Amino acid sequence: MPKYIFVTGGVVSSLGKGIASASIGALLQSRGYKVRIRKLDPYLNIDPGTMSPHQHGEVFVTEDGAETDLDLGHYERFLGIHPHKTDSISGGKIYFNVLTKERRGDYLGATVQSIPHITDEIKEFISSDITDEDFIICEIGGTVGDIEGLIFLEAIRQFANDIGRENALFIHLTLLPYIKTAGELKTKPSQHSVKTLLEAGIQADILMCRSSMPMSDSERKKLALFCNLVPEDVIVALDLDNIYKIPLSYHKEGLDVRVLEHFGMLSSSREPDLSRWEEIVEVMEHWEREVTIGIVGKYCGLQDAYKSLNEALFHAGLANRCKVKLKWIESERLEGKTSSTVEEILSNLDGILVPGGFGYRGVEGKIIAARYAREHKIPYLGICLGMQVAAIEIVRDILGIQDANSTEFVKECTPLIALMHEWDQGGLKQKRHEGSDKGGTLRLGSYPCILTKGTLAWNIYSQDKIYERHRHRYEMDINYEQELAKKGVLISGKSPDGVLPEIIEVKDHPFFIGVQFHPEFKSQPFSAHPLFRAFIKASIG
Ligand code: GLN
């Protein structure tokens, strides 16, 4: 049986529980253990697929097509393992499952209650779909004290008792605010948070405190005393300027040693090998060059909305030893502007990236950005919607079809991008139509793509067949292929049946490529995604 580590958070939200969980996993992995991380989000949406990026940040898509919390992206990037559908669940899905079972009569007429029915459903999730993992880390979303989170705390309390306390560890992450006038880090909020957790029957085994500065011995002792811990189990989680420095910092604080001691595994554990983490930190401290990439998007105010994209660009920077500076440009700012104003906004960029998105707002601005990049020979990477706008721009300008558009935005148009009613997934035809539910009904997850030999895409991947992750409803019409090819615009990647364009590229250009999928989900710090690596290389070019 694996050992279970439960990570909860207190005092405030946004403390970085996801990155903390991923870092704990990375430290265990560096000692040769097999680690799996799961996220339990107490909110009542079935999944984050329909939640606004403004509120919830990016929706991360797994290989097997689940729309999940962005923390799963951190897990994948830190551990290099693909999370599954079975690694993410929400309170809404738990209740949905229980109510579905109730309607089916599975409870044989019993009164359905929070305990045991909801708690059992949560416990079943925690222990399902496990093979030979040494550690399962379960991050509980939200903040201790939230009403909808209580039932999750109750479930993990029970679970630890069920498997034996020696097989479970509770890590609680809190905040030590620094009060300037007093010149002190304050421990009281953390004390209260540990008490709130105790009210739910859970004694934290390790307390991790986010802090802007190191903790003094007296602060550590005070926290230990009030929180029922030994001082070694009070660990500071220092604010750092880059998330990939965190595993090394936790290791310095002795976190992995304390975790293994709790499980009685320290003496049998091998020494950690953290060299790959040290290598990337070394690169980010000695950049050799710098580029500025303009991201022309819709949710530029909130960087969490483009989390994986940010990270993928950073990974590509690591691979090229190049600091990637991002300039966020609200695409609506480009609309209805004179060419000199557009020039003012888009000049001085080494590369332009148009990310994915939904809805018409800002689309015409993205089309302007794609045209500017094509005409001025600035490296362009279009992702999902970014490919669709590039295709619309090209068909309008090069083929002269002025009303080319996507039926997502305009019903009366030449439908270059339109709803596909059927496509193939694992041999099964998937059907979608206008009236389909909004949740979980997109083309989601990993699909194969066949690359055309000799094209830019084929050179970048050095492979004939690739797998990339999708999250979209609309597709480009393949029937424009011949006419576009005559004008030097290639469809260089297609679905295996040749029906769905997956990649377009412009020939007579240093780097102009649009992809219908989301390569950012698969990029990792130790192995940047080839498309991003090539895009940054071209931008340096
Ligand atoms: N809105 C577009 C579609 O549904 C693009 C989606 C995306 O960029 N992820 O096809």
Side-chain angles (χ1 to χ4, degrees):
M1 186 182 62
K3 304 288 183 194
Y4 284 85
I5 299 175
F6 296 101
V7 181
T8 54
V11 181
V12 291
S13 58
S14 305
L15 284 180
K17 277 198 305 293
I19 291 173
S21 305
S23 301
I24 296 164
L27 289 182
L28 293 169
Q29 201 186 45
S30 77
R31 290 173 178 266
Y33 294 113
K34 190 166 176 196
V35 182
R36 181 97 170 256
I37 315 193
R38 316 195 126 153
K39 176 95 195 251
L40 295 89
D41 269 311
Y43 56 68
L44 294 181
N45 304 63
I46 296 278
D47 63 39
T50 52
M51 290 164 86
S52 160
H54 282 297
Q55 271 198 26
H56 194 259
E58 156 189 292
V59 173
F60 184 79
V61 179
T62 59
E63 281 289 289
D64 56 2
E67 295 180 284
T68 70
D69 187 81
L70 57 77
D71 279 329
L72 271 84
H74 293 309
Y75 306 162
E76 175 151 358
R77 290 186 283 272
F78 275 63
L79 298 184
I81 48 171
H82 298 322
H84 303 172
K85 262 189 185 139
T86 49
D87 291 322
S88 161
I89 201 147
S90 68
K93 188 76 202 294
I94 293 281
Y95 285 97
F96 182 82
N97 291 348
V98 169
L99 294 176
T100 306
K101 287 181 184 170
E102 186 273 334
R103 289 292 81 185
R104 241 180 7 221
D106 291 8
Y107 298 120
L108 304 174
T111 308
V112 178
Q113 295 179 295
S114 296
I115 306 171
H117 299 98
I118 299 293
T119 44
D120 280 355
E121 189 71 26
I122 296 172
K123 291 197 287 182
E124 199 180 307
F125 166 79
I126 292 171
S127 57
S128 67
D129 189 28
I130 286 170
T131 51
D132 56 346
E133 288 85 353
D134 301 301
F135 289 95
I136 309 289
I137 300 174
C138 294
E139 180 195 345
I140 312 296
T143 308
V144 160
D146 294 345
I147 288 179
E148 67 263 36
L150 278 172
I151 196 72
F152 284 84
L153 298 182
E154 170 59 15
I156 60 172
R157 181 193 71 78
Q158 291 178 14
F159 189 86
N161 287 339
D162 295 349
I163 60 169
R165 279 297 274 115
E166 66 283 9
N167 295 315
L169 178 76
F170 292 105
I171 297 183
H172 191 52
L173 179 67
T174 64
L175 173 73
L176 293 185
Y178 177 72
I179 304 295
K180 229 179 173 177
T181 44
E184 281 183 344
L185 288 172
K186 288 297 183 188
T187 64
K188 192 70 84 192
S190 297
Q191 296 175 35
H192 281 303
S193 183
V194 169
K195 288 216 172 83
T196 310
L197 193 59
L198 207 48
E199 277 169 24
I202 295 173
Q203 165 67 51
D205 296 310
I206 292 180
L207 180 65
M208 295 183 62
C209 305
R210 270 297 292 273
S211 171
S212 54
M213 60 187 68
M215 195 191 302
S216 69
D217 271 353
S218 67
E219 282 153 352
R220 193 184 300 269
K221 279 191 187 137
K222 189 170 166 188
L223 270 167
L225 181 69
F226 281 96
C227 299
N228 215 11
L229 294 166
V230 293
E232 300 79 69
D233 284 332
V234 178
I235 294 202
V236 69
L238 275 180
D239 294 352
L240 295 169
D241 59 359
N242 189 285
I243 56 171
Y244 299 113
K245 293 182 179 172
I246 293 176
L248 293 172
S249 163
Y250 285 2
H251 175 64
K252 231 173 103 197
E253 292 295 324
L255 178 64
D256 43 336
V257 168
R258 290 310 292 161
V259 168
L260 291 170
E261 276 183 339
H262 273 273
F263 289 118
M265 293 167 75
L266 187 63
S267 53
S268 61
S269 165
R270 73 169 209 213
E271 282 300 304
D273 174 8
L274 293 163
S275 52
R276 60 183 197 158
W277 293 97
E278 284 154 1
E279 277 159 30
I280 57 171
V281 169
E282 199 274 329
V283 175
M284 68 181 87
E285 275 169 1
H286 303 94
W287 298 119
E288 289 172 8
R289 43 187 87 85
E290 187 176 300
V291 289
T292 303
I293 304 297
I295 300 188
V296 184
K298 186 158 82 168
Y299 317 106
C300 294
L302 180 77
Q303 295 199 6
D304 268 2
Y306 298 116
K307 194 86 223 169
S308 297
L309 185 70
N310 254 309
E311 296 304 320
L313 287 164
F314 183 76
H315 305 158
L318 286 174
N320 286 287
R321 294 194 160 259
C322 172
K323 180 171 185 170
V324 178
K325 287 173 74 178
L326 303 181
K327 186 174 168 195
W328 298 91
I329 301 163
E330 282 289 342
S331 56
E332 273 182 302
R333 272 181 63 205
L334 298 168
E335 292 173 5
K337 297 284 157 46
T338 60
S339 53
S340 68
T341 311
V342 170
E343 172 80 32
E344 225 171 85
I345 300 173
L346 297 179
S347 61
N348 298 322
L349 295 175
D350 301 303
I352 293 180
L353 191 151
V354 175
F358 292 82
Y360 198 25
R361 185 170 70 79
V363 162
E364 293 297 332
K366 292 174 189 173
I367 290 174
I368 292 167
R371 177 162 305 168
Y372 184 89
R374 187 171 60 81
E375 290 181 346
H376 291 77
K377 303 234 182 286
I378 297 171
Y380 177 88
L381 178 58
I383 294 179
C384 207
L385 179 62
M387 161 183 160
Q388 297 176 353
V389 296
I392 294 170
E393 185 280 308
I394 287 167
V395 166
R396 282 185 191 173
D397 196 51
I398 302 187
L399 300 187
I401 305 175
Q402 293 306 332
D403 72 338
N405 215 322
S406 165
T407 55
E408 177 183 3
F409 313 134
V410 181
K411 297 287 166 243
E412 300 300 315
C413 66
T414 299
L416 173 67
I417 317 286
L419 266 185
M420 279 295 294
H421 293 263
E422 287 194 334
W423 63 84
D424 213 47
Q425 190 175 34
L428 289 174
K429 288 268 180 252
Q430 303 290 317
K431 288 190 174 30
R432 305 286 184 265
H433 53 84
E434 290 288 357
S436 294
D437 278 356
K438 285 287 175 273
T441 60
L442 300 100
R443 175 146 83 109
L444 280 170
S446 183
Y447 282 82
C449 164
I450 308 297
L451 303 178
T452 312
K453 279 205 170 53
T455 58
L456 175 63
W458 184 79
N459 279 327
I460 290 172
Y461 282 95
S462 327
Q463 280 176 53
D464 298 333
K465 186 179 189 182
I466 56 165
Y467 287 84
E468 291 283 6
R469 289 183 211 170
H470 292 247
R471 181 175 184 251
H472 56 102
R473 200 170 268 117
Y474 295 81
E475 307 279 353
M476 180 181 170
D477 185 346
I478 191 84
N479 292 312
Y480 290 85
E481 185 175 17
Q482 302 305 331
E483 269 184 276
L484 285 172
K486 282 185 216 149
K487 306 277 185 182
V489 178
L490 306 178
I491 294 180
S492 51
K494 288 182 208 165
S495 56
D497 60 6
V499 172
L500 303 174
E502 304 280 33
I503 307 179
I504 59 167
E505 60 185 61
V506 175
K507 264 164 105 180
D508 184 24
H509 193 285
F511 188 103
F512 191 104
I513 196 157
V515 293
Q516 187 57 81
F517 44 80
H518 289 271
E520 70 272 29
F521 293 141
K522 286 178 80 166
S523 185
Q524 290 172 16
F526 313 109
S527 56
H529 190 286
L531 265 178
F532 282 92
R533 197 176 353 151
F535 173 57
I536 294 301
K537 192 166 173 218
S539 304
I540 295 167

